[in-house]
Amino acid sequence: MHDRAMSMETSQLSRDVLAAAGGRAILCFLGSVRKSKGFQFLVDILSDHPDLVKDVFVVAAGRVDPASGGDCARLISAGGMVVDRFVSDDELLSLYKTCDFAWCCYEPGYDQASGIFGRSVQLGARPIIRKGSYLEKYAQEGAVAPVCLIYGDTRDAAANIATAAANRSDKVLDSRSDKAERLGEIVGGWRSDFIQKIRAAL
């Protein structure tokens, strides 16, 4: 997966997202769009704090639960983008490599491991997670710097997301392609550590 991601180029979808963002930080909600994954909370943040869209562009890409149709309309009205369809693996990889933040801030009742979180760490997107969640505990174990939100508190969330967007490194602002180099260093270290542990066990 790592080698494939390294060679993955942009997709038409990621190019469209990059163009629509117009230099703003990009926050991606990836995978099935539904309330349990925090979609309503994300849209509430934008609705309650509309100035946030001046600095952050939000895109939701994945099949939409019919129950979240109204929230999708609100997101579009707030200036975001909704891609309501199956998103291919290549498109997902391109979005991870394009975005600055990946939404992993799920409802308290949906407190579990997240493939979105894992891929965001692997591919250089900063995960946004719920304070007090399983993911936060996991992030404390390694070199992950997530954006932690108090679930349901839109003011706290907007402030934290705005701060994270403002503090993006010049490297990210200048060229998102630099992610591949950083990814190689990070995953290369993980791979080396894994091999050493296996050899020691044998």
Side-chain angles (χ1 to χ4, degrees):
M1 180 273 172
H2 166 60
D3 293 336
R4 180 176 176 223
M6 289 288 287
S7 63
M8 176 63 201
E9 299 298 329
T10 61
S11 66
Q12 185 59 53
L13 177 55
S14 68
R15 290 191 291 272
D16 290 345
V17 169
L18 198 59
R24 290 174 289 173
I26 298 172
L27 191 166
C28 283
F29 185 107
L30 302 171
S32 58
V33 179
R34 59 182 188 269
K35 183 175 179 290
S36 62
K37 294 178 68 176
F39 186 66
Q40 181 178 323
F41 177 41
L42 173 58
V43 178
D44 285 345
I45 295 167
L46 297 178
S47 296
D48 291 351
H49 304 277
D51 284 347
L52 187 61
V53 298
K54 295 177 182 177
D55 302 308
V56 180
F57 178 70
V58 177
V59 55
R63 294 194 187 279
V64 175
D65 182 335
S68 294
D71 290 324
C72 284
R74 287 200 297 145
L75 175 57
I76 293 170
S77 295
M81 177 190 291
V82 176
V83 182
D84 180 11
R85 63 171 174 80
F86 171 78
V87 180
S88 71
D89 288 344
D90 285 349
E91 287 177 317
L92 280 174
L93 287 174
S94 72
L95 287 175
Y96 280 115
K97 294 176 73 176
T98 298
C99 75
D100 299 285
F101 305 102
W103 182 267
C104 310
C105 186
Y106 308 139
E107 287 187 335
Y110 191 81
D111 192 16
Q112 55 189 282
S114 166
I116 303 297
F117 175 84
R119 290 292 183 260
S120 69
V121 173
Q122 290 174 322
L123 296 173
R126 192 174 177 191
I128 297 178
I129 64 178
R130 179 175 58 81
K131 192 172 184 62
S133 66
Y134 171 82
L135 292 179
E136 184 188 28
K137 294 176 183 176
Y138 177 79
Q140 292 170 350
E141 299 288 329
V144 180
V147 180
C148 294
L149 310 183
I150 300 172
Y151 200 87
D153 188 336
T154 63
R155 178 178 295 181
D156 169 82
N160 276 284
I161 293 171
T163 297
N167 290 336
R168 288 185 299 166
S169 69
D170 291 339
K171 190 177 226 183
V172 172
L173 288 170
D174 290 341
S175 174
R176 287 185 171 88
S177 65
D178 288 335
K179 281 185 176 183
E181 181 179 348
R182 298 197 302 276
L183 173 63
E185 295 174 357
I186 293 170
V187 178
W190 288 345
R191 181 177 291 166
S192 176
D193 183 63
F194 171 78
I195 291 172
Q196 289 177 8
K197 284 184 169 59
I198 293 297
R199 285 179 174 166
L202 294 175

